Amino acid sequence: FSSYKKSTINYLDYASGKLRFVRPGEYSKYKFSCLALSNNDSILAAGNNDNNIYIFDNINHKRKKIINSLPFPTFKILFYPSNSDLIVFSVDREIYVWNVRENKLERKISSTVFPISYVDINKDGKYISFSGINNIVKVFDLTSSLKLKTLNTHDANITGLSFISNDTIA
């Protein structure tokens, strides 16, 4: 999936090299800023600069719902590995855990990292990690919303962030 023009989502089939789906611009005033696909490939979520997240059925490519309760645009969205709930990283430093099925906010976590530049979730969906331009990395336990670690030993810009396969937090 890619979004390269105002309010257009393109789905390119990598194997065939053909464009399979284009979601055109009914949102032409704004542009999509981030995309996420659920782990079973059935749901596409697209964050838009109009402060909404648009949820599409990835099978028939029709819009299912709109998450429109966010006060700021979305920077990054990730699906939980185990279900179709979203973790939404907003430009206002907040992290929202959103239940897509019921279209409701489950919880909000204040990050104090500004702006959030890189994010990752471990493979079982228990931990999230994120960093910002202030060179700080934070790790949260999503089951309890507790901050586990703050790493502020970086003296230069962080250029990537990822959990390793054993999910160890040291």
Side-chain angles (χ1 to χ4, degrees):
F1 287 96
S2 67
S3 175
Y4 70 98
K5 290 197 274 186
K6 277 189 174 181
S7 72
T8 302
I9 298 172
N10 295 314
Y11 176 17
L12 177 67
D13 185 322
Y14 178 75
S16 69
K18 294 182 180 177
L19 192 62
R20 288 185 44 197
F21 165 71
V22 175
R23 181 70 179 156
E26 69 184 77
Y27 325 101
S28 61
K29 186 175 178 185
Y30 302 99
K31 66 179 183 171
F32 290 111
S33 57
C34 54
L35 301 169
L37 192 60
S38 65
N39 291 332
N40 65 1
D41 295 338
S42 65
I43 302 170
L44 172 69
N48 195 291
N49 287 341
D50 65 0
N51 300 2
N52 295 322
I53 298 173
Y54 297 88
I55 307 295
F56 298 95
D57 181 319
N58 193 35
I59 307 303
N60 62 21
H61 309 298
K62 296 190 183 208
R63 189 175 74 209
K64 292 172 71 168
K65 59 183 78 171
I66 300 172
I67 298 172
N68 58 6
S69 302
L70 301 175
F72 291 94
T74 302
F75 162 73
K76 177 83 172 169
I77 48 181
L78 298 170
F79 278 96
Y80 267 91
S82 58
N83 60 37
S84 60
D85 289 351
L86 277 175
I87 303 170
V88 178
F89 296 85
S90 176
V91 299
D92 69 341
R93 303 184 195 194
E94 302 294 341
I95 301 165
Y96 303 91
V97 178
W98 200 272
N99 183 318
V100 173
R101 277 181 239 99
E102 297 177 24
N103 202 16
K104 73 174 190 175
L105 179 66
E106 294 288 328
R107 66 183 168 277
K108 182 170 87 169
I109 302 168
S110 294
S111 76
T112 67
V113 171
F114 187 75
I116 295 172
S117 53
Y118 295 98
V119 299
D120 196 23
I121 186 170
N122 75 325
K123 66 182 175 187
D124 69 1
K126 184 175 180 182
Y127 306 117
I128 58 169
S129 180
F130 50 91
S131 65
I133 62 170
N134 57 359
N135 305 330
I136 293 174
V137 175
K138 292 197 176 194
V139 180
F140 273 84
D141 182 331
L142 282 171
T143 58
S144 63
S145 297
L146 292 176
K147 179 176 65 172
L148 299 176
K149 293 277 185 186
T150 298
L151 307 169
N152 55 7
T153 58
H154 297 86
D155 57 1
N157 290 336
I158 296 167
T159 59
L161 188 63
S162 183
F163 279 93
I164 59 174
S165 60
N166 69 2
D167 294 329
T168 302
I169 297 180

